[in-house]
Amino acid sequence: MTDIRRLYVLLCGYEIIPKTVSTRDLGARFVLSVPITAYLLDTASGWVLFDTALDESHLNDPEAKRRMFTDAGWDPAPVVRPHHELGRQLAEIGIGFEDIGTVILSHLHADHTGHLKHMPQAQVIVQRAELEAGQTDPLSFACFGSDFRLPGIMWQPIDGDAEILPGLTALSTPGHTIGHMSLRVDLPGTGPVILTADVGDLRENFEHEILPGASVDDTAALASIRRINALVAETGALMLMTHDPDQIQQIRLAPDFYD
Ligand SMILES: [Zn+2]
């Protein structure tokens, strides 16, 4: 049995990156536009959001854009058009940030934590190791403390794999960051879906076991790629990648959904 009714894939913008950010030491001459993706689940226990995209307000303010992106070495800055905005996409589905009861964060990089500040009512599930790293200085260049070092966030740290709801399981997949996690979602019609988050940005990370550009632990990062591959092989799950520019054009995007 599963408590999950629908999965919405939310395309929330693009990052413009040298390919080596996705594939370790491979493709330095190529520049990719990779999607920033978040996922919304309609469940028997309310609305669950997996990752919260990038906060476009940082990009719409020229001073903030310079300070947080281009001057900080994140150049060119990401692109978030109005139709990519998370709040706007939720509204198209008929809900708002205030309706989200649970946020699950794959990890604390800025393209995943942007709108957390808009959901103070939500419980926020994160791996304990990731949360602890996020409270420790110096903070990784890829993290915006202003997104998540905030009073009043209802953190619910977990350790390792955990069943969050019937049909919704957190999969510990460290390596890219110390407490990175992926999700397994069991849908009534589609069957199992694996949301890989940043275990590998691209299909080729999984097909050829290529490490992500950045990791805090390469051995763990490779083990996480292999874990996802084994799970997909074993279950026949649909694998949805957060940052794959090809797959994003081939799948159902919100307001369409998987059920
Ligand atoms: Zn990411």
Side-chain angles (χ1 to χ4, degrees):
M1 278 303 294
T2 181
D3 279 5
I4 316 303
R5 300 177 185 131
R6 290 179 171 185
L7 162 66
Y8 295 86
V9 180
L10 306 156
L11 169 57
C12 296
Y14 278 87
E15 295 172 63
I16 302 155
I17 54 173
K19 190 160 184 267
T20 45
V21 171
S22 296
T23 52
R24 180 75 57 90
D25 299 331
L26 294 171
R29 74 179 74 186
F30 304 118
V31 176
L32 301 183
S33 289
V34 304
I36 299 168
T37 311
Y39 305 89
L40 178 70
L41 301 171
D42 178 8
T43 84
S45 305
W47 294 99
V48 177
L49 191 62
F50 182 44
D51 286 338
T52 68
L54 189 78
D55 185 349
E56 63 275 359
S57 72
H58 303 322
L59 295 164
N60 296 338
D61 169 1
E63 194 281 321
K65 182 176 179 177
R66 253 195 321 275
R67 178 171 41 84
M68 301 177 80
F69 295 98
T70 48
D71 284 1
W74 190 337
D75 186 15
V79 173
V80 181
R81 299 291 183 226
H83 52 259
H84 293 138
E85 292 175 7
L86 180 57
R88 184 166 157 158
Q89 295 195 68
L90 295 180
E92 280 170 19
I93 294 165
I95 64 171
F97 286 122
E98 67 280 6
D99 296 308
I100 305 293
T102 300
V103 172
I104 304 167
L105 294 176
S106 63
H107 63 304
L108 293 177
H109 286 170
D111 52 335
H112 302 259
T113 58
H115 291 281
L116 185 61
K117 62 180 81 69
H118 299 130
M119 293 169 277
Q121 79 288 346
Q123 61 163 343
V124 181
I125 298 173
V126 65
Q127 290 288 325
R128 189 182 311 276
E130 188 75 9
L131 182 59
E132 286 174 358
Q135 307 298 340
T136 306
D137 288 314
L139 199 55
S140 157
F141 152 83
C143 294
F144 291 169
S146 59
D147 277 353
F148 60 85
R149 286 182 170 180
L150 300 167
I153 294 181
M154 293 194 287
W155 297 109
Q156 301 280 338
I158 60 174
D159 298 289
D161 293 356
E163 185 184 65
I164 295 167
L165 291 172
L168 180 58
T169 306
L171 306 171
S172 173
T173 48
H176 176 58
T177 63
I178 193 165
H180 184 278
M181 66 175 157
S182 308
L183 280 190
R184 172 179 170 153
V185 181
D186 289 293
L187 289 170
T190 306
V193 181
I194 310 293
L195 306 178
T196 59
D198 288 20
V199 170
D201 288 353
L202 312 178
R203 176 82 64 189
E204 68 185 86
N205 291 99
F206 295 93
E207 279 184 354
H208 304 299
E209 296 186 347
I210 298 170
L211 287 170
S215 95
V216 297
D217 181 337
D218 287 348
T219 304
L222 182 59
S224 292
I225 289 171
R226 290 177 171 162
R227 181 181 190 195
I228 297 287
N229 280 340
L231 196 56
V232 168
E234 175 196 325
T235 62
L238 171 65
M239 186 172 89
L240 294 179
M241 290 166 284
T242 291
H243 294 304
D244 187 291
D246 295 319
Q247 187 190 42
I248 199 73
Q249 299 176 62
Q250 295 156 12
I251 60 177
R252 289 176 216 165
L253 298 179
D256 197 2
F257 54 84
Y258 290 89
D259 60 6

